[in-house]
Amino acid sequence: MTMLRVLVMNGPNLNLLGVREPEVYGTTTLEAIEARIAEKAAVLDVDVSFFQSNHEGALIDHLHEAMGVFDGVVLNPGAYTHYSYALRDAIAGVGLPVVEVHLSDIGAREDFRAVSVTAPVCIAQISGLGVDSYLEGLEVLVARLREEDR
Ligand code: DQA
């Protein structure tokens, strides 16, 4: 059996983790989060790649390029979560299973954050667990992919 390939994508401002609103997002850098995810991926025996962009089109292009290359995606769309119909359409369009993750609890903050336009086309949304949102997101995605494979 070939190894599952998972793409972990982060949207705008997540490159600033560590310095960005630490009271909301914690002090862990994106690099450190990616290292934690890579460790978890090794335990789960899956291949993982990372991508971050502050640009909507770059995220969409990368999702398109993921078709046929990756088996699934863990995605933190940042603020695009709340209004990017273009990103939502891309997720629906590529047909890859996507798990949406958020460090903070988007349901417990400003009203505009409680709405996710991307979640309805994702297989799951995990929010509010800090770095563990990514680790749990990876677990949920891999479990789903392995289930499909049986
Ligand atoms: C976020 C929540 C979003 O509302 C915000 O715009 C982000 C980060 C999170 O991980 O908690 O950039 O996706």
Side-chain angles (χ1 to χ4, degrees), residues 12-14 20 25 76-82 101-106 109 112-113 134:
N13 302 306
L14 292 160
R20 172 192 185 200
Y25 298 114
N76 184 346
Y80 288 139
T81 305
H82 314 301
V101 300
H102 300 283
L103 292 150
S104 65
D105 180 356
I106 60 170
R109 299 179 62 195
F112 76 87
R113 292 189 205 274
Y134 289 89

Side-chain angles (χ1 to χ4, degrees), residues 62-101:
H62 212 74
L63 265 180
H64 293 180
E65 286 157 17
M67 278 191 291
V69 177
F70 292 98
D71 299 295
V73 182
V74 174
L75 172 64
N76 184 346
Y80 288 139
T81 305
H82 314 301
Y83 67 92
S84 176
Y85 297 117
L87 189 57
R88 175 196 167 113
D89 284 352
I91 295 166
V94 297
L96 289 170
V98 177
V99 175
E100 177 177 315
V101 300

Side-chain angles (χ1 to χ4, degrees), residues 9-46:
M9 284 213 326
N10 278 283
N13 302 306
L14 292 160
N15 57 311
L16 289 185
L17 287 175
V19 285
R20 172 192 185 200
E21 301 178 79
E23 66 288 358
V24 178
Y25 298 114
T27 51
T28 311
T29 62
L30 182 58
E31 201 182 9
I33 291 174
E34 289 178 347
R36 293 276 308 279
I37 298 168
E39 275 172 28
K40 178 90 185 180
V43 172
L44 292 171
D45 200 28
V46 298

